[in-house]
């Protein structure tokens, strides 16, 4: 499974990059940070440890690319969660928002083959701004 890391230069992003690099069943895909243009072609999963100001745009790219996402970025209130859940249709992308970093770490360690067990299908084709 090829995993991209968004926020790869931050403290948690660096840890995610290391964890993926040492996992036998994961392949580190592209890594991105502030100012980079996301290209998720060929990526299966993106892990987002960015900033509340950019996470929604990142999720839009993931969903538009058909890439599953695990989000450890904080700042998700009920309105943001409703936005992620509320788009019409479904691209098949799964989004898991795990603001509790302990939960996000557990998800990252287990994301390879059992990923559907830990994620929810979220209808997200048309994220509302």
């Amino acid at each position: 499974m090829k995993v991209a890391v968004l926020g790869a230069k931050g403290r948690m992003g660096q840890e995610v990059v290391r964890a993926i690099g040492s996992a036998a069943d994961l392949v580190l895909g592209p890594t991105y940070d502030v100012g980079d243009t996301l290209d998720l072609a060929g990526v299966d999963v993106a892990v987002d440890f960015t900033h509340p100001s950019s996470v929604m745009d990142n999720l839009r790219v993931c969903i538009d690319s058909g890439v599953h996402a695990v989000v450890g970025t904080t700042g998700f209130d009920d309105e943001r969660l409703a936005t992620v859940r509320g788009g019409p249709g479904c691209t098949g992308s799964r989004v898991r928002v795990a603001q509790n970093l302990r939960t996000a770490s557990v998800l990252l360690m287990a994301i390879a083959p059992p990923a559907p067990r830990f994620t929810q299908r979220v209808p997200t084709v048309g994220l509302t701004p």
Side-chain angles (χ1 to χ4, degrees):
M1 179 171 287
K2 191 172 187 179
V3 183
V5 180
L6 316 182
K9 292 181 182 176
R11 185 174 51 88
M12 288 304 300
Q14 290 176 27
E15 290 300 320
V16 171
V17 167
R18 276 193 280 280
I20 293 168
S22 66
D25 54 350
L26 300 176
V27 175
L28 181 62
T31 60
Y32 298 101
D33 214 273
V34 176
D36 295 337
T37 301
L38 302 183
D39 178 3
L40 300 177
V43 171
D44 300 299
V45 175
V47 177
D48 187 300
F49 273 101
T50 58
H51 188 270
S53 65
S54 60
V55 68
M56 296 304 285
D57 289 337
N58 293 344
L59 280 177
R60 187 179 317 273
V61 172
C62 290
I63 291 160
D64 289 347
S65 302
V67 172
H68 303 299
V70 175
V71 181
T73 302
T74 60
F76 271 82
D77 55 16
D78 290 340
E79 183 179 332
R80 280 190 171 198
L81 289 171
T83 299
V84 173
R85 288 187 190 114
C90 184
T91 63
S93 294
R94 295 174 184 256
V95 175
R96 176 65 173 138
V97 177
Q99 296 179 86
N100 179 323
L101 300 183
R102 185 177 321 200
T103 303
S105 298
V106 169
L107 286 170
L108 181 60
M109 297 299 183
I111 197 155
R117 214 171 22 139
F118 293 99
T119 58
Q120 300 171 4
R121 183 170 301 276
V122 179
T124 52
V125 169
L127 284 178
T128 53

